[in-house]
């Protein structure tokens, strides 16, 4: 069986993956999740990668899965730990050396106008209400 490392995006925590984690464990796989230091403005990409590598312990031949901002971190993790696969799920994929802010500018991304800027409306509009409420808690 495989060892999966699940890396969440910038505005979330390891809980983000709890449904995927349960499914993978039910199928006999090992799963590693962690909370990235998203609230620490001084933490750079190297620090984020350190958190993931530390959570992996001595595991090797990992399947590294990253969502959103995790796309910046997954390649750094794969460079440090023997990995057999990197999976990017709606991930941010920068050019070499490109910051997230620069990526938005360089791709012409414009933040959409929001009549309701709440996390519920922005991130969980298409999630079942009970799960959205749990996520926001």
């Amino acid at each position: 069986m495989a060892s999966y490392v699940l890396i969440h995006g910038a505005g979330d925590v390891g809980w983000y993956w709890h449904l995927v984690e349960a499914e993978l464990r039910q199928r006999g796989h090992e799963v590693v999740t962690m909370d990235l230091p998203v609230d620490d403005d001084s933490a750079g990409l190297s620090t984020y990668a350190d958190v993931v590598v530390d959570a992996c312990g001595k595991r090797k031949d990992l399947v590294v899965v990253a969502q959103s901002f995790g796309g910046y971190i997954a390649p750094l993790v794969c460079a440090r730990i023997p990995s057999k696969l990197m999976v990017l799920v709606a991930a941010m994929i920068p050019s070499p050396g490109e910051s997230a802010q620069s990526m938005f500018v360089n791709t012409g991304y414009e933040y959409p106008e929001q009549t309701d800027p709440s996390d519920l409306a922005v991130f969980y509009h298409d999630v079942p209400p009970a799960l959205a409420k749990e996520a926001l808690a």
Side-chain angles (χ1 to χ4, degrees), residues 53 73-83:
V53 169
I73 303 153
L76 301 174
V77 172
C78 290
R80 295 187 193 181
I81 300 175
S83 305

Side-chain angles (χ1 to χ4, degrees), residues 66-122:
Q67 184 268 339
S68 190
F69 186 72
Y72 276 80
I73 303 153
L76 301 174
V77 172
C78 290
R80 295 187 193 181
I81 300 175
S83 305
K84 55 182 164 182
L85 183 65
M86 179 174 60
V87 179
L88 302 175
V89 180
M92 297 171 74
I93 304 172
S95 294
E98 185 178 47
S99 71
Q101 284 306 108
S102 294
M103 187 186 73
F104 289 135
V105 171
N106 295 338
T107 60
Y109 178 81
E110 292 183 23
Y111 291 95
E113 286 188 35
Q114 296 284 340
T115 56
D116 179 356
S118 71
D119 284 348
L120 179 62
V122 173

Side-chain angles (χ1 to χ4, degrees), residues 2-87:
S3 292
Y4 286 82
V5 179
L6 308 178
I7 305 171
H8 65 82
D12 226 315
V13 294
W15 178 90
Y16 172 87
W17 295 104
H18 76 282
L19 297 175
V20 173
E21 177 181 8
E23 183 69 26
L24 289 170
R25 288 188 190 281
Q26 182 179 356
R27 294 172 184 242
H29 299 289
E30 185 176 23
V31 180
V32 177
T33 62
M34 74 297 303
D35 291 340
L36 297 174
V38 296
D39 293 330
D40 181 354
D41 291 339
S42 69
L45 294 176
S46 183
T47 300
Y48 278 65
D50 290 344
V51 170
V52 177
V53 169
D54 289 347
C56 292
K58 296 183 186 277
R59 295 174 184 88
K60 296 179 183 175
D61 297 323
L62 304 170
V63 177
V64 178
V65 182
Q67 184 268 339
S68 190
F69 186 72
Y72 276 80
I73 303 153
L76 301 174
V77 172
C78 290
R80 295 187 193 181
I81 300 175
S83 305
K84 55 182 164 182
L85 183 65
M86 179 174 60
V87 179

